[in-house]
């Protein structure tokens, strides 16, 4: 095959056009790097391979962070969302999350439009088959058609395509996603590089033809109404027409059918060696592991406005097609349902993320970055967030600047990269709010306050976004001042109304700033009673949350200070823990395996005690001194 | 902390200055001993005594250090400790002052290694505790508490992270009852633990032996000051002398006893009786005898170390002769380092044997758990899910200081195995 040299050398070449790839390419281009996005198929840019929904608890936090740094996911969701709902509305602002069902086609179109409109970003359709290295740096990439492209940095976002293998019952074939070929040549090449490779698996449910579903037997779940947006700079006007979702359940006869055929599932025959996510089990897994349950919930999600296809979320399976047909038809409302695409399980290669720096640069190849499912994560949101981080760091690297990444107390993205690069993962990693120890400060309402300033500094954020942000920031500050200034007098004529709205009694004068700290008090109640008339309710709410959580934030500041000090105490890697007498054998084993590189990481190991940490500190210092002597 | 005439509370860390200011009502002057009162939150005096402030890095630990020399009474000292903790301090781990001194380059490796041994013992104890097969009521109960809090957290975190599932435990009456029961259990455990603690502070070491073998000299050498009167006349010590010293941060009560021999003197006889009673209660007995004329004790009920004193009068070198025999010279202060290490080691063993007899840091951890659980109940009543979770996390963390920390991974693992979540 003749080799054709591509004339231009790119600062950043991104391989893959999924959620990680597009955010990576966009971020690099926004920062001014000459960027090339190489994808097997331009038609699949922004494709949602799994369910047609964006967001969720913990996930929306990531989407908002991507948005705060100028990314595309939130904007595309606002333009494609056909059903919006706020989860955890009553449990507090930090764990609330907006979720959207999206029209697949609209979502893909929105992403493609944003990508095509981005200055400095070129798209090229071809399959990458090789990375050519020279002295631990990628020099060029080679495509299947023999085009050789020089790159200062490369971001690899190949999703489930590396060594992808699809399973339906006893049938199995190679594939990166139903309908798309895997990237096997590249997978082989990468396996030759010094990265630790492992297998993971995930699955999808069968899709249904909506015309064959009897909605009268389903429970309807409407959206919240059209007043919420994902992006800090978008308005509800961008939302398309809204559609409801539906809910149904499996039943005993469904479970009987599944139980009878469980041996035909590749999950149970041992054909699949990869580990699946515990929080996203296949229906056969749920039926076997939770045998006492008589039903499981299914969310029936519309695939889009102009298609009748449905995504029955909750019955992911790799059972043989005939079994899928049988059990689907046993479900209420699905008696005559036609399966348009069978459910399947997919097994794929991922690289151990402990081989990455927190900038997502690989430790072994200094200008190569990995983002998305290739790092063992699952979910569009997790992929997008990593893509953005890898893209911005590739851009910094191409310009010979030092990298940037957020810390655990700054962003869910910080939690994500720290978890991955410190501890690795043995199942597809998904974000949960419980992973964030500084959860109360990492809210979906303040991602812009947390990240847009740094995004501005890095050049990730447009002028318009920056101006809007400053405006908002100023408004919040003003509201806080107003709350500080305003005193409620008990004899004020508006007080009875305020007492009625909040359930609080006011017997002596109280500052608004102290009043909003009371648990039951909301900003809208205060407004209803006649205060804060000229203030935007969203802005006031955010100011109120900041005030309510002051005490917790102050305590967390102390914890952060401590954690930072512990982070500065480096532990040499590898460290010989057998020398540290006095550790329990369990702790010693865990430490030896995870090899934390500082005391902060060591403190997160389960079973850790202050005494063990104290002991470790002494041995680490002793080790350092002895090496100095030697 | 000790039971001697003067009790010292030592605070080390960046907040020491701030604490000094609030406790004394003025800024402390570095390295100047100033007499004054120690005040509570309402500015009422708790105790009066000498406050000494050392600015880091020129202090024992290399950090800012505040020393409060007050009256030695246990109750008064506990009040001072409580006040200092309310101002942001916490109880030190065994050996922590020395550990910090080492980490801040204030002491050398050999000193620090002895500390490592001490921490060793206490972490071996923690390791033993986590094996869940531990006997000992305290440990069992703390583990039960830990399990209950873990259980509550599992429900709360599942309700938060899996809002789509049919598992909203936050409004569940059973969850509230579990929290309430946990708190009640904690309160009763705290009461019993506090009662048990006062008597159990520190290690008791008895210096015993025949008359005039240098027991008081040894005590003096260890105390580094002349607190006992030493003469050439046998039987000078007629009563037990009681002093508290700190070996690697551990309080050690040293009891000097009257020489054991047949005596006609009634006062001396009484002293000997007291010595025998002290020996029975001791954690460690230093049996002192002369190097030239070794006299073995007739019977010793507890662990003992043979101390061959006055080796300066023989040509023998100080140091260990065997595992339980040490040659020293109290007069020349030779072999004392080995002696201290030996005592520290025994202290460590005692810690591990007597796991969770309720040391002050356990009590302070349990108190913190109680405060957070109270908040949990409050927030549950107002159904503020994320604050319930936050307070539970802190409660769990404080308990983790005793039984070992739980990670998010443990928590998620439990959620996934217990509930059928996810789609």
């Amino acid at each position: 095959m003749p080799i054709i040299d591509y004339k231009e050398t790119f600062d950043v070449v991104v391989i893959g056009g999924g959620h990680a790839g597009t955010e990576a390419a966009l971020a690099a281009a926004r920062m001014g790097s000459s960027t090339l996005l190489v994808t097997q198929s331009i038609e699949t840019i922004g494709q949602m391979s799994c369910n047609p929904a964006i967001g969720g608890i913990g996930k929306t936090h990531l989407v908002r962070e991507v948005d705060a740094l100028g990314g595309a996911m939130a904007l595309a969701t606002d333009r494609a969302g056909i059903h919006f709902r706020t989860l955890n509305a009553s449990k507090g602002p930090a764990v609330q999350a907006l979720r959207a069902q999206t029209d697949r086609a609209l979502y893909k179109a929105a992403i493609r439009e944003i990508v095509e409109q981005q200055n400095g970003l070129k798209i090229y359709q071809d399959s990458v088959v090789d990375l050519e290295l020279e002295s631990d740096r990628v020099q060029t990439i080679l495509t299947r058609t023999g085009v050789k492209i020089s790159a200062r940095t490369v971001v690899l976002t190949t999703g489930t395509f590396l060594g992808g293998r699809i399973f339906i019952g006893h049938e199995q074939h190679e594939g990166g996603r139903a309908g798309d070929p895997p990237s096997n040549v590249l997978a082989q090449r990468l396996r030759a590089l010094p990265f630790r490779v492992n297998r993971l698996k995930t699955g999808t449910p069968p899709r249904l033809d909506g015309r064959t579903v009897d909605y009268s037997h389903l429970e309807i779940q409407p959206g919240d109404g059209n007043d919420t947006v994902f992006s800090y700079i978008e308005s509800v006007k961008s939302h398309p027409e809204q559609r409801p979702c539906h809910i149904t359940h499996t039943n005993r006869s469904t479970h009987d059918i599944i139980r009878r055929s469980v041996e035909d599932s590749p999950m149970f025959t041992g054909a699949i060696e990869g580990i699946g996510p515990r929080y996203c089990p296949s229906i056969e897994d749920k039926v076997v592991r939770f045998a006492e349950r008589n039903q499981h919930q299914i969310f029936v999600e519309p695939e889009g406005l102009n298609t009748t296809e449905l995504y029955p979320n909750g019955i992911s399976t790799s059972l043989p097609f005939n079994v899928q047909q049988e059990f689907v038809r046993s479900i209420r409302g699905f008696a005559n349902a036609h399966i348009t695409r069978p459910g399947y399980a997919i097994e794929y290669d991922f690289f151990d993320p402990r081989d990455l720096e927190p900038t997502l640069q690989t430790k072994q190849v200094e200008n190569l970055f990995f983002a998305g499912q290739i790092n063992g994560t699952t979910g569009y949101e997790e992929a997008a967030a990593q893509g953005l981080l890898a893209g911005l760091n590739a851009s910094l690297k191409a310009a010979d600047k030092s990298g940037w990444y957020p810390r655990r107390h700054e962003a869910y993205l910080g939690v994500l990269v720290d978890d991955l690069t410190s501890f690795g993962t043995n199942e597809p990693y998904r974000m949960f709010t419980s992973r964030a120890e500084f959860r109360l400060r990492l809210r979906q309402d303040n991602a812009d306050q947390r990240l847009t300033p740094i995004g501005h500094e890095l050049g990730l954020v447009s002028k318009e976004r920056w101006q809007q942000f400053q405006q908002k920031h100023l408004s919040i500050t003003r509201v806080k001042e107003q709350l500080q200034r305003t005193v409620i007098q008990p004899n004020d004529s508006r007080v009875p109304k305020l007492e009625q709205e909040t359930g609080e009694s006011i017997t002596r004068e109280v500052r608004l700033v102290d009043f909003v700290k009371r648990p039951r008090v909301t900003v809208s109640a205060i407004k209803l009673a006649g205060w804060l008339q000229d203030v935007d309710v969203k802005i006031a709410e955010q100011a109120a949350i900041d005030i309510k959580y002051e005490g917790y934030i102050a305590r967390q500041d102390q914890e952060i200070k401590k954690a930072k000090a512990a982070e500065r105490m480096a532990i040499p890697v590898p460290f010989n823990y057998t020398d540290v007498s006095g550790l329990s054998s369990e702790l010693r084993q865990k430490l030896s395996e995870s090899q934390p590189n500082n005391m902060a990481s060591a403190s997160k190991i389960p079973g850790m005690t202050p005494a063990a940490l104290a002991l470790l500190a002494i041995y680490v210092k002793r080790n350092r001194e002895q090496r100095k002597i030697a | 902390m000790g039971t001697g005439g003067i009790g010292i509370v030592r605070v080390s860390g960046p907040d020491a200055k701030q604490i000094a200011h609030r406790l004394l009502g003025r800024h402390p002057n570095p390295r100047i001993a100033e007499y004054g009162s120690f005040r509570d939150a309402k500015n009422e005096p708790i105790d009066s005594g000498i406050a000494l402030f050392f600015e880091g890095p020129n202090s024992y630990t290399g950090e800012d250090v505040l020393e409060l020399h007050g009256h030695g009474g246990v109750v008064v000292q506990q009040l001072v400790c409580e006040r200092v903790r309310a101002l942001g301090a916490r109880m030190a781990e065994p050996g922590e002052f020395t550990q910090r001194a080492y980490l801040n380059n204030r002491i050398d490796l050999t000193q620090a290694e002895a500390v490592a041994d001490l921490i060793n013992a206490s972490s071996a104890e923690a390791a033993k505790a986590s094996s869940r097969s531990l006997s000992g009521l305290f440990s069992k109960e703390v583990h039960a508490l830990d399990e209950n809090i873990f259980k509550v957290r599992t429900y709360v975190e599942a309700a938060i992270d899996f809002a789509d599932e049919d598992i909203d435990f936050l409004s569940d009456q059973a969850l509230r009852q579990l929290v309430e029961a946990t708190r009640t259990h904690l309160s009763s455990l705290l009461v019993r633990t506090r009662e048990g603690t006062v008597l159990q502070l520190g290690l008791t070491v008895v210096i015993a032996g025949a008359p005039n073998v240098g027991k008081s000299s040894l005590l003096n050498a260890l105390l580094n000051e002349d607190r006992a009167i030493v003469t050439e006349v046998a039987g000078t010590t007629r009563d037990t002398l009681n002093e508290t010293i700190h070996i690697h941060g551990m309080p050690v009560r040293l009891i000097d006893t009257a020489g054991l021999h047949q005596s006609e003197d009634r006062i001396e006889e009484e002293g000997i009786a007291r010595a025998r009673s002290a020996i029975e209660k001791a954690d460690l007995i230093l049996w002192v005898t002369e190097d030239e004329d070794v006299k073995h004790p007739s019977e010793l009920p507890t662990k003992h170390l043979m101390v061959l004193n006055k080796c300066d009068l023989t040509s023998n070198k100080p140091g260990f002769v065997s595992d339980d025999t040490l040659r020293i010279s109290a007069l020349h202060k030779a072999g004392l380092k080995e002696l201290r290490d030996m005592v520290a080691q025994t202290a460590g063993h005692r810690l591990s044997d007597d796991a969770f007899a309720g040391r002050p840091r356990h009590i302070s951890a349990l108190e913190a758990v109680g405060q957070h659980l109270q908040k949990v109940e409050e927030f549950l009543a107002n159904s503020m899910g994320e604050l319930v979770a936050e307070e539970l996390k802190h409660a769990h963390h404080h308990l983790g200081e005793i039984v070992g920390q739980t990670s998010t991974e443990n928590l998620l693992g439990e959620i996934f195995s217990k509930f059928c979540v996810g789609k």
Side-chain angles (χ1 to χ4, degrees):
Chain A
M1 181 178 63
I3 300 292
I4 305 146
D5 277 319
Y6 198 97
K7 288 273 182 296
E8 188 180 348
T9 295
F10 290 92
D11 290 330
V12 179
V13 170
V14 177
I15 302 168
H19 306 282
T22 49
E23 294 290 357
L26 286 166
R30 285 202 301 280
M31 286 171 67
S33 296
S34 64
T35 307
L36 183 72
L37 173 66
V38 188
T39 169
Q40 284 192 359
S41 161
I42 290 177
E43 271 64 45
T44 57
I45 285 178
Q47 172 101 318
M48 307 176 101
S49 322
C50 194
N51 68 325
I54 300 279
I57 299 157
K59 287 169 167 279
T60 302
H61 295 75
L62 286 167
V63 180
R64 289 270 164 93
E65 289 173 3
V66 169
D67 187 62
L69 292 168
M73 182 167 261
L75 290 169
T77 308
D78 283 327
R79 292 169 201 174
I82 56 175
H83 179 275
F84 290 85
R85 218 156 69 84
T86 295
L87 307 173
N88 273 347
S90 64
K91 291 178 196 143
V95 298
Q96 257 170 38
L98 180 62
R99 186 175 56 196
Q101 295 301 139
T102 54
D103 177 304
R104 267 182 213 284
L106 287 177
Y107 187 86
K108 205 158 79 172
I111 290 287
R112 176 132 169 219
E113 189 190 334
I114 295 169
V115 169
E116 286 179 347
Q117 297 296 318
Q118 178 62 51
N119 284 332
L121 174 57
K122 289 176 178 159
I123 309 168
Y124 185 64
Q125 176 172 306
D126 205 340
S127 202
V128 174
V129 293
D130 201 4
L131 305 176
E132 294 181 337
L133 268 67
E134 215 172 275
S135 56
D136 287 343
R137 286 180 73 97
V138 184
Q139 302 295 329
T140 54
I141 62 160
L142 182 69
T143 71
R144 186 172 44 193
T145 55
V147 178
K148 205 175 203 180
I149 305 166
S150 305
R152 292 196 179 88
T153 59
V154 172
V155 183
L156 205 58
T157 68
T158 47
T160 57
F161 279 61
L162 289 181
R165 192 158 195 84
I166 287 175
F167 297 79
I168 306 172
H170 297 287
E171 197 278 328
Q172 50 172 293
H173 61 270
E174 293 175 348
R177 166 170 65 206
D180 290 311
S183 309
N184 280 345
V185 188
L186 186 59
Q188 259 170 18
R189 275 296 300 147
L190 290 170
R191 274 185 178 255
L193 292 174
F195 303 119
R196 288 177 277 183
V197 189
N198 254 310
R199 300 283 279 173
L200 285 177
K201 81 118 216 177
T202 184
T204 67
R207 317 281 173 87
L208 307 178
D209 181 343
R211 293 173 304 172
T212 61
V213 166
D214 184 353
Y215 286 96
S216 69
H217 284 95
L218 307 186
E219 184 188 321
I220 191 162
Q221 188 191 48
D224 277 349
N226 211 353
D227 68 340
T228 35
V229 280
F230 267 84
S231 172
Y232 290 106
I233 57 167
E234 194 55 275
S235 84
V236 288
K237 282 184 219 128
S238 64
H239 290 180
E241 184 190 331
Q242 299 295 293
R243 285 281 166 85
C245 284
H246 291 83
I247 295 173
T248 184
H249 293 89
T250 59
N251 52 52
R252 280 172 198 214
S253 87
T254 318
H255 296 188
D256 287 340
I257 297 164
I258 291 168
R259 226 171 268 131
R260 272 205 307 274
S261 317
V262 141
E263 293 90 71
D264 295 323
S265 165
M267 299 299 302
F268 291 84
T269 58
I272 292 181
E273 48 177 287
I275 299 166
R278 285 171 299 175
Y279 44 83
C280 192
S282 61
I283 186 67
E284 49 267 36
D285 215 20
K286 290 194 225 180
V287 168
V288 171
R289 282 182 47 218
F290 296 93
E292 74 285 0
R293 303 247 318 211
N294 296 324
Q295 59 168 44
H296 293 283
Q297 194 168 241
I298 303 169
F299 287 93
V300 185
E301 305 175 351
E303 289 263 322
L305 295 172
N306 298 313
T307 173
T308 59
E309 219 176 359
L310 295 174
Y311 190 98
N313 204 347
I315 50 169
S316 138
T317 182
S318 54
L319 286 165
F321 179 60
N322 59 322
V323 182
Q324 294 189 20
Q325 265 181 325
E326 198 188 346
F327 88 69
V328 162
R329 292 197 167 181
S330 73
I331 294 166
R332 193 158 30 94
F334 294 171
N336 299 306
H338 167 69
I339 293 177
T340 52
R341 316 175 199 209
Y344 62 88
I346 179 164
E347 198 187 43
Y348 55 96
D349 284 356
F350 83 103
F351 292 94
D352 191 328
R354 286 174 297 184
D355 291 337
L356 299 173
E357 304 286 350
T359 55
L360 298 182
Q361 178 183 306
T362 63
K363 284 178 181 164
Q364 290 90 342
V365 181
E366 69 160 297
N367 62 344
L368 180 61
F369 297 75
F370 288 169
Q373 272 174 304
I374 189 174
N375 292 336
T377 63
T378 172
Y380 309 143
E381 303 83 356
E382 288 83 352
Q386 288 173 72
L388 178 116
L389 185 68
L392 82 87
N393 278 299
S395 172
L396 288 170
K397 179 84 188 169
D400 272 329
K401 291 179 186 159
S402 50
W404 174 84
Y405 60 95
R407 300 312 181 93
R408 295 187 77 93
H409 64 274
E410 291 170 321
Y412 272 86
L413 179 51
V415 174
L416 177 81
V417 288
D418 186 51
D419 278 352
L420 287 175
T421 59
S422 310
F423 304 111
T425 185
N426 48 20
E427 69 177 329
Y429 178 100
R430 199 208 115 150
M431 187 47 74
F432 296 107
T433 67
S434 49
R435 295 194 194 274
E437 60 274 45
F438 302 114
R439 177 158 67 189
L440 293 183
R441 62 170 64 207
L442 305 184
R443 306 189 304 267
Q444 61 159 13
D445 67 84
N446 69 359
D448 55 345
Q449 307 293 315
R450 291 184 275 124
L451 296 171
T452 300
I454 179 81
H456 173 66
E457 231 170 86
L458 289 165
L460 280 167
V461 167
S462 70
K463 203 189 273 171
E464 296 73 36
R465 187 187 284 272
W466 179 236
Q467 277 166 357
Q468 273 199 36
F469 168 78
Q470 285 177 303
Q471 195 62 50
K472 181 179 167 190
H473 190 70
L474 189 67
S475 308
I476 293 174
T477 313
R478 290 218 176 109
V479 174
K480 282 184 186 165
E481 284 164 7
Q482 194 176 343
L483 292 170
Q484 190 71 49
R485 263 198 325 267
T486 313
V487 179
I488 307 172
Q489 300 293 348
N491 58 359
D492 190 301
S493 61
R494 296 167 291 182
V495 160
K497 172 93 171 152
L498 185 59
E499 290 183 327
Q500 184 198 331
E501 289 295 331
T502 59
E504 295 283 332
S505 68
I506 297 160
T507 50
R508 60 177 97 168
E509 65 169 47
V510 54
R511 271 176 204 284
L512 264 186
V513 72
D514 295 319
F515 190 64
V516 295
K517 282 181 190 159
R518 300 188 190 175
R520 284 177 293 187
V521 174
T522 63
V523 168
S524 38
I526 297 175
K527 257 179 101 90
L528 265 177
W531 278 270
L532 303 175
Q533 290 305 293
D534 51 338
V535 169
D536 179 271
V537 72
K538 287 240 158 77
I539 298 285
E541 263 167 13
Q542 209 182 319
I545 297 166
D546 285 348
I547 291 165
K548 275 181 202 255
Y549 283 12
E550 259 169 15
Y552 287 96
I553 303 294
R555 184 155 75 190
Q556 291 188 346
D557 283 340
Q558 290 297 314
E559 290 170 37
I560 291 162
K561 227 164 87 185
K562 259 200 231 160
K564 274 189 178 159
E567 259 172 45
R568 280 194 297 270
M569 269 198 79
I571 303 174
V573 174
F575 191 81
N576 187 356
Y577 290 94
T578 47
D579 286 354
V580 187
S581 66
L583 288 178
S584 70
S585 54
E586 188 193 346
L587 261 184
R588 187 174 296 145
Q589 189 192 340
K590 282 183 187 157
L591 282 162
S592 301
E593 275 165 16
S594 72
Q595 291 287 343
N597 54 16
N598 60 52
M599 292 298 285
S601 303
S603 70
K604 284 178 215 136
I605 286 170
M608 195 46 96
T609 61
L613 278 175
L615 201 59
L616 195 54
I618 287 177
Y619 277 85
V620 166
K621 184 163 185 237
R622 186 168 77 170
N623 172 289
R624 204 163 36 225
E625 283 172 4
Q626 283 169 347
R627 277 204 281 182
K628 236 183 274 165
I629 296 160
Chain B
M1 232 201 264
T3 47
I6 296 174
I8 302 176
V9 175
R10 198 193 261 166
V11 185
S12 177
D15 291 340
K17 196 181 223 165
Q18 164 85 11
I19 290 172
H21 181 67
R22 303 208 21 210
L23 190 81
L24 309 170
R26 59 183 159 77
H27 276 299
N29 294 313
R31 303 193 157 267
I32 294 173
E34 287 171 308
Y35 188 84
S37 53
F38 310 149
R39 293 163 185 281
D40 67 10
K42 291 178 194 135
N43 214 27
E44 305 281 337
I46 308 165
D47 192 8
S48 55
I50 290 165
L52 257 170
F53 182 72
F54 302 90
E55 217 156 27
N58 302 313
S59 69
Y60 176 62
T61 57
E63 304 168 325
D64 284 357
V65 169
L66 173 67
E67 278 189 10
L68 302 165
H69 299 240
H71 293 99
V74 172
V75 177
V76 172
Q77 264 191 301
Q78 268 182 356
L79 285 175
V80 174
C81 273
E82 259 166 46
R83 172 68 177 141
V84 166
R85 271 164 47 209
L87 291 173
R90 63 165 171 78
M91 298 302 292
E93 298 298 328
E96 189 170 358
F97 282 88
T98 316
Q99 185 227 11
R100 290 189 182 194
Y102 173 62
L103 295 177
N104 293 324
N105 298 313
R106 300 294 298 170
I107 57 170
D108 68 13
L109 197 60
T110 38
Q111 281 169 286
E113 272 170 346
V115 184
D117 284 343
L118 181 66
I119 298 173
N120 242 344
S122 89
S123 67
E125 145 222 59
K128 220 161 92 182
S130 67
S131 73
R132 315 216 165 199
S133 60
L134 234 205
S135 56
L137 196 58
F138 181 83
S139 160
K140 241 186 225 158
E141 296 201 22
V142 172
H143 273 105
L145 274 177
D146 189 58
E147 271 165 34
N148 274 348
I149 292 179
F150 183 68
K151 194 164 162 192
V152 174
R153 282 193 77 193
T154 313
Y155 284 107
V156 170
E157 293 294 343
I160 285 176
D161 268 335
F162 301 93
D164 261 357
E165 317 292 329
D166 337 316
I167 47 169
D168 193 2
F169 304 114
L170 283 173
S171 43
D172 198 332
Q173 202 52 40
L175 187 75
R176 280 180 209 187
Q177 281 161 2
L178 183 56
V179 173
E180 213 182 292
T182 310
R183 234 187 105 196
T184 314
H185 181 195
L186 175 76
S187 310
S188 89
L189 180 62
L190 251 177
V191 170
R192 280 175 288 150
T193 314
R194 280 199 196 104
E195 283 167 0
T197 310
V198 180
L199 302 172
Q200 306 214 10
L201 286 175
L203 181 85
T204 304
V205 175
V206 166
I207 304 175
N212 209 21
V213 291
K215 298 185 293 295
S216 299
S217 307
L218 175 58
L219 174 72
N220 283 348
L222 287 170
L223 281 174
N224 252 340
E225 56 181 320
D226 278 345
R227 221 175 267 182
I229 312 147
V230 190
T231 64
E232 299 277 322
V233 186
T236 309
T237 304
R238 297 188 168 196
D239 195 357
T240 54
L241 263 181
N242 193 332
E243 291 293 346
T244 298
I245 61 167
H246 284 81
I247 295 184
H248 308 313
M250 272 287 305
V252 172
R253 195 143 48 120
L254 280 180
I255 299 177
D256 182 17
T257 59
L260 299 175
H261 68 123
Q262 295 298 328
S263 172
E264 303 293 307
D265 184 331
R266 274 187 47 214
I267 297 173
E268 209 184 299
E269 225 174 276
E270 175 61 23
I272 292 168
R274 286 190 193 184
R276 289 195 197 280
S277 137
I279 287 170
E280 271 164 38
K281 290 179 196 151
D283 293 297
L284 176 70
I285 289 156
L286 302 178
W287 180 265
V288 184
T289 173
E290 287 181 40
D291 196 20
E292 312 182 284
D293 179 22
V294 175
K295 287 199 179 75
H296 285 274
S298 51
E299 50 169 324
L300 282 174
T302 33
K303 195 171 169 178
H304 73 280
L305 176 71
M306 289 285 293
V307 180
L308 313 182
N309 192 18
K310 306 188 187 175
C311 72
D312 47 297
L313 299 179
T314 66
S315 52
N316 295 328
K317 284 216 168 108
F320 275 102
V321 179
S322 69
D323 274 357
D324 59 357
T325 309
L326 179 68
R327 193 173 277 133
I328 66 160
S329 162
L331 186 67
H332 295 281
K333 297 193 173 140
L336 292 187
K337 186 196 164 298
E338 286 82 356
L339 185 66
R340 282 172 163 268
D341 287 351
M342 169 73 194
V343 173
Q345 217 182 355
T346 313
H349 286 306
R350 201 191 79 124
L351 287 181
S352 48
D353 289 345
D354 204 12
F356 303 130
R359 277 176 284 135
R361 69 184 181 99
H362 294 150
I363 292 182
S364 79
L366 289 180
E367 282 168 349
V369 174
Q371 283 158 11
H372 289 295
L373 282 184
Q374 189 185 340
K375 291 268 188 193
V376 168
E377 281 188 342
E378 248 173 75
F379 290 133
L380 262 181
N382 283 304
S383 56
M384 297 167 82
E386 63 189 28
L387 296 183
V388 170
E390 181 77 7
E391 295 293 347
L392 275 171
K393 184 182 78 185
H394 288 294
H396 204 187
H397 185 84
H398 284 294
L399 216 46
E401 288 171 0
I402 306 176
V403 299
Q405 297 297 345
T406 309
S407 73
T408 307
E409 237 354 273
N410 295 146
L411 208 58
L412 285 170
E414 181 67 11
I415 290 174
F416 296 135
S417 69
K418 201 184 237 161
F419 313 117
C420 183
V421 289
K423 291 175 287 195

